[in-house]
DNA sequence: GTCAATTCACATGAAAGAGACCACGGTCTAGTG
DNA sequence: CTAGACCGTGGTCTCTTTCATGTGAATTGACGA
């Protein structure tokens, strides 16, 4: 028997998982623990829609992994089940963060039209036309009410401007037969502060905040899911507690906790361990963190990689803090050496700011008085990972 | 020593251009009856 | 005559450049004690 055969054969028999799907983040469980209050609240706000009445617009906040989307979708599913074929209302969900699908005004509308059964080109038409088309479709649809769930709406507004939301909420006055209810979901708690007053008052007629899960609640969730996902006896109480503790530290992110458990399971499985041990959680945590960072780095555009490499190299070679100017000159040299076009400092400045946003570096704006203002740049990732990252960059840039 | 003005080295904003992608409508071409 | 190929125009979108303005404190230099 070949080596590969052994590997393949052992998969089924020794698997620790009963159903790995359960731990996937897109899995939606039957019941959602510790969110009854919020779910009831959402349901009570949206309930009049069953009669075809326009309800208040709803705005939902909460950090990632606090069950926002899950809860809203749960209510939405129940609503659609309730009305079934009676064409009273229709619920559409749209994640505004999905690249290339819904991250601009045009694309969001186009996507909605597509979901409502219309047909528009992906590009090429004036945005105004799309609005008209959207209105037209709504007017012709049989449903009286459209509940529009816009997930990660903060991302969209950041890119597009709040004009879009204003238009959307104002659309109701142009519509005679169908009304729109907007349910916005945002990860950013300060989101509403940043948008226009007019939009704000119309959009957030009702607000619900999803608090982070605490460690005990996380444990509860993990316990429930792991019972279904793993074979009996694989996961011990200590492991669950540890997972929950990790995730609680990360602002109570349940998704993170579940990922942790899943990856720990995979690692344990690969080591042919019959149970998940505490140490597997630790390595899972490392692995998740590491994969995330390396993935970000690998998928950056070339110019970004050049800038990033400059930063890594500078930090490696000088123990002192480095600044925007240093990075830019180093970067220019690098471009010259590799015969590539170099970008302006203005652009590089933005790129550095983006790396800060991504959490690869810490860039703090400081003023050195007479010696000007600049960004002080530090690495935000562990040494081991940055070394690995450099290798990746060297390879992908042919240095 | 004190205090306001100056000055640096960028940060941050706004606008606009380049180039890729695409739809639409009109015109041309070749194949058909 | 007509279907399909082939433009030109006009639109979006992303990445960039260009031009302009902003900014916080070390430094400077005038001033007064």
């Amino acid at each position: 028997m070949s080596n590969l055969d052994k590997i393949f054969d052992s998969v089924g028999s020794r698997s620790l998982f009963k159903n790995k799907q359960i731990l996937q983040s897109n899995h939606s469980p039957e019941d959602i623990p510790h969110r009854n209050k919020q779910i009831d609240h959402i349901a009570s706000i949206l309930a009049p829609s069953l009669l075809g009445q326009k309800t208040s617009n709803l705005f939902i906040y909460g950090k990632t992994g606090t069950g926002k989307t899950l809860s809203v979708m749960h209510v939405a599913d129940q609503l659609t089940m309730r009305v079934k074929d009676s064409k009273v209302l229709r619920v559409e969900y749209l994640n505004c963060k999905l690249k290339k699908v819904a991250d601009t005004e045009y694309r969001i509308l186009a996507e909605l039209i597509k979901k409502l059964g219309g047909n528009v080109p992906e590009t090429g038409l004036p945005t105004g036309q799309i609005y008209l088309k959207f209105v037209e479709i709504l007017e012709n649809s049989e449903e009286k009410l459209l509940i529009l769930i816009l997930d990660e709406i903060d991302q969209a507004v950041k890119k597009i401007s709040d004009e879009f939301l204003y238009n959307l909420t104002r659309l109701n006055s142009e519509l005679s037969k169908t009304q729109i209810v907007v349910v916005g979901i945002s990860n950013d708690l300060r989101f509403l502060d940043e948008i226009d007053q007019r939009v704000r008052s119309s959009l957030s007629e009702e607000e619900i905040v999803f608090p982070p899960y605490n460690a005990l609640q996380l444990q509860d969730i993990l316990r429930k899911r792991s019972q279904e996902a793993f074979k009996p006896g694989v996961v011990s109480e200590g492991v669950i507690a540890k997972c929950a503790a990790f995730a609680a530290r990360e602002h109570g992110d349940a998704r993170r906790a579940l990922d942790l458990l899943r990856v720990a399971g995979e690692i344990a499985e690969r080591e042919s361990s019959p149970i998940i041990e505490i140490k597997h959680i630790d390595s899972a945590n490392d692995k998740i963190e590491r994969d995330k960072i390396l993935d970000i780095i690998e998928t950056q555009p070339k110019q970004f990689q050049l800038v990033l490499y400059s930063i890594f190299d500078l930090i490696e070679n000088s123990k002192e803090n480095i600044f925007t100017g240093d990075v830019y000159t180093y970067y220019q040299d690098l471009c010259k050496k590799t015969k590539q076009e170099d970008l302006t400092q203005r652009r590089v400045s933005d790129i550095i700011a983006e790396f800060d946003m991504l959490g690869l570096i810490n860039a703090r704006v400081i003023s050195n008085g007479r010696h000007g203002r600049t960004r002080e740049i530090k690495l935000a990732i562990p040494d081991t990972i940055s070394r690995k990252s450099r290798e990746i960059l060297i390879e992908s840039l042919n240095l």
Side-chain angles (χ1 to χ4, degrees):
Chain A
M1 188 196 278
S2 81
N3 206 17
L4 283 181
D5 279 336
K6 262 187 238 164
I7 295 174
F8 293 153
D9 284 349
S10 66
V11 162
S13 59
R14 272 217 315 278
S15 176
L16 303 178
F17 293 99
K18 195 161 66 185
N19 181 0
K20 201 190 275 187
Q21 194 62 40
I22 305 269
L23 294 177
Q24 231 83 32
S25 54
N26 53 13
H27 171 77
S28 55
E30 284 297 302
D31 70 327
I32 305 164
H34 306 293
R35 285 294 178 244
N36 293 333
K37 229 173 69 189
Q38 283 83 0
I39 289 177
D40 288 354
H41 196 166
I42 295 171
S44 68
I45 290 171
L46 296 182
S49 65
L50 285 172
L51 305 173
Q53 294 169 9
K54 159 109 172 63
T55 69
S56 299
N57 289 328
L58 175 58
F59 206 84
I60 296 174
Y61 299 112
K63 298 241 167 109
T64 43
T66 49
K68 301 182 296 297
T69 310
L70 220 51
S71 304
V72 173
M73 290 314 280
H74 183 71
V75 174
D77 285 347
Q78 297 292 319
L79 280 177
T80 36
M81 286 241 292
R82 199 66 183 262
V83 294
K84 275 214 177 109
D85 347 274
S86 64
K87 305 269 182 189
V88 177
L89 79 144
R90 176 165 190 143
V91 184
E92 286 302 340
Y93 169 86
L94 191 62
N95 188 329
C96 304
K97 212 176 90 182
L98 292 178
K99 282 255 160 81
K100 308 286 173 198
V101 178
D103 60 350
T104 69
E105 184 175 19
Y106 185 100
R107 291 212 267 251
I108 288 175
L109 284 167
E111 190 64 23
L112 285 174
I113 290 172
K114 217 183 286 171
K115 287 194 181 203
L116 292 173
N119 193 12
V120 284
E122 285 165 32
T123 167
L125 293 184
T127 309
Q129 292 266 311
I130 297 292
Y131 265 105
L132 290 179
K133 183 101 183 176
F134 186 54
V135 171
E136 186 190 316
I137 285 198
L138 283 181
E139 285 292 342
N140 290 332
S141 71
E142 296 171 57
E143 290 88 3
K144 283 201 190 118
L145 211 56
L146 173 67
I147 297 180
L148 210 53
I149 303 171
L150 296 175
D151 206 348
E152 318 227 24
I153 199 171
D154 46 336
Q155 300 289 328
V157 169
K158 215 177 284 168
K159 288 204 73 164
I160 306 170
S161 93
D162 45 19
E163 196 88 347
F164 166 63
L165 286 180
Y166 181 65
N167 289 340
L168 210 54
T169 51
R170 219 195 34 180
L171 226 46
N172 272 336
S173 55
E174 287 176 34
L175 294 165
S176 50
K177 281 156 76 185
T178 310
Q179 293 283 289
I180 307 175
V181 176
V182 178
V183 178
I185 303 178
S186 160
N187 291 327
D188 186 355
L189 298 168
R190 299 183 319 276
F191 172 61
L192 269 186
D193 298 338
E194 291 166 14
I195 62 177
D196 193 292
Q197 191 57 44
R198 297 173 307 178
V199 183
R200 183 174 182 170
S201 53
S202 60
L203 183 65
S204 62
E205 289 165 341
E206 297 275 357
E207 288 179 33
I208 300 177
V209 176
F210 276 61
Y213 294 110
N214 63 32
L216 284 177
Q217 293 169 332
L218 283 172
Q219 281 188 32
D220 210 30
I221 294 169
L222 287 173
R223 206 171 295 129
K224 278 202 178 118
R225 293 247 201 147
S226 63
Q227 268 168 18
E228 296 175 52
F230 289 104
K231 292 179 176 164
V234 170
V235 186
S236 67
E237 268 304 301
V239 167
I240 285 183
K242 174 102 180 175
C243 261
F246 258 124
R249 222 162 49 195
E250 298 254 332
H251 60 252
D253 185 343
R255 191 177 313 161
R256 170 89 189 205
L258 292 167
D259 276 346
L260 209 53
L261 200 56
R262 177 172 50 82
V263 175
E266 285 166 3
I267 290 175
E269 204 171 83
R270 213 166 304 145
E271 290 179 1
S272 355
S273 159
I275 57 163
I276 298 178
E277 294 172 40
I278 299 277
K279 68 172 188 201
H280 294 137
I281 304 281
D282 284 319
S283 28
N285 194 41
D286 287 349
K287 180 173 159 43
I288 289 176
E289 190 63 20
R290 189 185 148 98
D291 286 356
K292 204 171 68 190
I293 293 172
L294 293 185
D295 188 56
I296 290 174
I297 291 173
E298 264 177 54
T299 54
Q300 291 300 312
K302 202 167 212 160
Q303 293 291 352
F304 282 58
Q305 290 189 340
L306 281 166
V307 175
L308 194 59
Y309 179 78
S310 307
I311 294 173
F312 282 156
D313 227 32
L314 277 170
I315 288 183
E316 182 90 358
N317 295 327
S318 71
K319 292 288 162 250
E320 294 179 24
N321 294 332
I322 60 168
F323 306 97
T324 306
D326 303 335
V327 174
Y328 187 61
T329 38
Y330 193 98
Y331 159 80
Q332 277 187 310
D333 280 355
L334 198 61
C335 286
K336 208 176 288 174
K337 260 187 244 165
T338 56
K339 297 243 163 65
Q340 310 216 26
E341 301 232 354
D342 59 334
L343 303 176
T344 48
Q345 172 156 315
R346 177 72 187 81
R347 182 67 187 132
V348 172
S349 177
D350 277 349
I351 291 175
I352 291 175
E354 273 184 56
F355 285 144
D356 186 37
M357 291 267 289
L358 287 171
L360 297 178
I361 58 175
N362 281 320
R364 203 161 50 96
V365 177
I366 54 165
S367 178
N368 288 324
R370 197 85 205 275
H371 306 296
R373 259 155 79 82
T374 182
R375 281 200 179 86
E376 182 189 54
I377 300 167
K378 288 181 192 153
L379 278 190
I381 57 179
D383 280 358
T384 49
I385 298 181
S386 82
R387 220 162 290 143
K388 179 77 186 166
S389 310
R390 267 184 60 182
E391 286 170 28
I392 290 175
L393 288 177
I394 288 173
E395 190 176 332
S396 91
L397 293 169
N398 289 323
L399 294 177

